Amino acid sequence: ARRLRAVPPPCPAAGVSQVTVRDALNQALDEELERDERVFLLGEEVAQYDGAYKISRGLWKKYGDKRVIDTPISEMGFTGIAVGAAMAGLRPVCEFMTFNFSMQAIDQVINSAAKTCYMSAGSIAVPIVFRGPNGASAGVAAQHSQCFAAWYGHCPGLKVVSPWSSEDAKGLLKASIRDDNPVVMLENELLYGVPFEMSEQAQSKDFVVPIGKAKIERQGTHVTLVSHSRPVGHCLEAAAVLAKEGVECEVINLRTIRPMDIETVEASVVKTNHLVTVEGGWPQFGVGAEICARIMEGSAFNYLDAPAVRVTGADVPMPYAKILEDNCLPQVKDIIFAVKKTLNI
């Protein structure tokens, strides 16, 4: 994957291993399939082919046809089957080859899965996970490069998670499978092969990351950077560059889009007095727009020393050409520019 830059420390601490996001997701699925016989995985090429991105590698051979199910290329059909199975008491994990294809099944995701618990006065739960790659990959143009965090984050009845690191990916997937609500898990294809440090605790079968809780990836005092998914890595790179110039950025990894942990963002803004949001999605009605609105409406607004700044994808469908694609996505230099703008330096 071009443009990909991981940020692993040179020497892992005792009990810490380097694990790719792909392997972390595979671990989570394996452990949950083993733990609960109601859990099953379905989607295109997830079984005999080991998954389009090898996330489900080895699971079909281990658990068989009834637990890991290859489906036809019909998102509306297999998503409807999965939602019905969840209503009947099973715990399906429904994989989309890309979340752009979830548009074929959005009626099932929103009208069937998200709304049923409310419309049934709580009598029908829909414990299902919709997961797969989200946002821009590399060189796959407009119909494969959209970020759906704002779309799905808009809808009551859903929980929406967006992991960055291997720890995020494993812990959030396990928490999502165990949750009694429909959860949309937005992964990033360009992160699948990236290794991150995982502690011994994170590799245990009991490890989960709580849904709805952000993580401060780097402490800082001058400006708050809030992001999710792959741009978290860009924020950390920008923070490392800015630190050499005496600017200390606090980097917050949202982890969950809905419900959003605005309390962690507010506490950081109270400390730093400046806010920059970073996302790969489009600007209008985006995740950053929601964060800025919530900060403005709350008490943390009184602590801002400058307007909040959003760094987003360009407001166009994704071009195919690499140079145009690069200019459509937030880069480290864009984050540095936004920080200097809000700090007036």
Side-chain angles (χ1 to χ4, degrees):
R2 65 194 192 217
R3 305 196 308 271
L4 200 57
R5 297 185 293 273
V7 203
C11 296
V16 172
S17 302
Q18 294 280 329
V19 180
T20 65
V21 171
R22 173 182 289 108
D23 288 341
L25 290 166
N26 182 266
Q27 281 178 27
L29 286 169
D30 189 7
E31 290 168 8
E32 293 305 301
L33 283 162
E34 182 180 61
R35 188 188 69 87
D36 188 342
E37 64 181 12
R38 297 172 298 172
V39 175
F40 70 98
L41 172 67
L42 79 167
E44 296 155 359
E45 299 183 353
V46 299
Q48 295 186 44
Y49 189 66
D50 280 340
Y53 305 97
K54 304 306 178 214
I55 303 299
S56 54
R57 185 179 59 246
L59 299 181
W60 174 65
K61 288 180 180 176
K62 184 173 180 180
Y63 295 100
D65 291 325
K66 291 186 177 180
R67 304 291 301 284
V68 183
I69 303 169
D70 278 329
T71 66
I73 304 174
S74 175
E75 281 77 12
M76 177 177 281
F78 70 72
T79 305
I81 288 169
V83 172
M87 291 177 180
L90 299 179
R91 305 186 84 87
V93 179
C94 178
E95 177 179 304
F96 295 120
M97 198 174 288
T98 159
F99 260 95
N100 297 269
F101 301 161
S102 74
M103 293 296 93
Q104 298 290 328
I106 198 163
D107 179 61
Q108 302 287 7
V109 177
I110 305 302
N111 283 326
S112 298
K115 298 176 182 177
T116 293
C117 184
Y118 183 86
M119 293 176 69
S120 67
S123 63
I124 303 175
V126 189
I128 185 171
V129 179
F130 305 103
R131 54 155 295 272
N134 171 71
S137 178
V140 292
Q143 293 189 353
H144 298 74
S145 297
Q146 186 174 335
C147 176
F148 289 92
W151 281 52
Y152 285 120
H154 179 68
C155 301
L158 290 177
K159 293 184 178 182
V160 183
V161 298
S162 181
W164 168 60
S165 67
S166 299
E167 181 181 299
D168 294 349
K170 180 178 180 182
L172 286 171
L173 180 52
K174 287 172 74 73
S176 300
I177 292 171
R178 297 179 188 191
D179 201 288
D180 287 334
N181 298 280
V183 182
V184 172
M185 182 158 172
L186 304 171
E187 302 155 13
N188 188 287
E189 180 185 340
L190 294 181
L191 289 174
Y192 283 153
V194 179
F196 290 87
E197 284 191 355
M198 280 186 76
S199 65
E200 202 170 343
Q201 177 197 7
Q203 293 183 67
S204 78
K205 292 185 178 182
D206 299 322
F207 176 75
V208 294
V209 168
I211 294 174
K213 184 63 183 170
K215 181 185 179 186
I216 298 174
E217 297 286 351
R218 179 186 176 119
Q219 297 282 345
T221 54
H222 296 129
V223 60
T224 298
L225 299 178
V226 186
S227 190
H228 68 95
S229 191
R230 187 168 173 249
V232 173
H234 295 340
C235 288
L236 289 170
E237 289 183 52
V241 173
L242 287 161
K244 296 174 182 176
E245 301 179 31
V247 176
E248 292 298 330
C249 303
E250 182 144 296
V251 179
I252 296 177
N253 172 10
L254 275 179
R255 284 180 161 177
T256 304
I257 306 301
R258 184 184 185 105
M260 186 177 285
D261 182 6
I262 204 67
E263 292 80 13
T264 294
V265 180
E266 286 178 330
S268 181
V269 169
V270 168
K271 179 170 68 169
T272 67
N273 311 117
H274 299 89
L275 173 64
V276 175
T277 67
V278 184
E279 64 187 304
W282 293 319
Q284 189 156 317
F285 314 117
V287 175
E290 174 66 16
I291 294 168
C292 292
R294 298 275 282 273
I295 291 297
M296 188 194 74
E297 291 167 351
S299 59
F301 174 76
N302 299 312
Y303 291 84
L304 280 175
D305 288 342
V309 175
R310 291 180 294 156
V311 179
T312 71
D315 198 20
V316 297
M318 183 62 68
Y320 171 73
K322 181 182 186 303
I323 189 168
L324 296 178
E325 182 184 65
D326 287 345
N327 280 283
C328 278
L329 293 169
Q331 307 293 330
V332 173
K333 62 181 176 62
D334 302 317
I335 300 168
I336 293 171
F337 177 82
V339 168
K340 290 185 174 181
K341 175 183 175 182
T342 193
L343 292 176
N344 197 27
I345 57 175

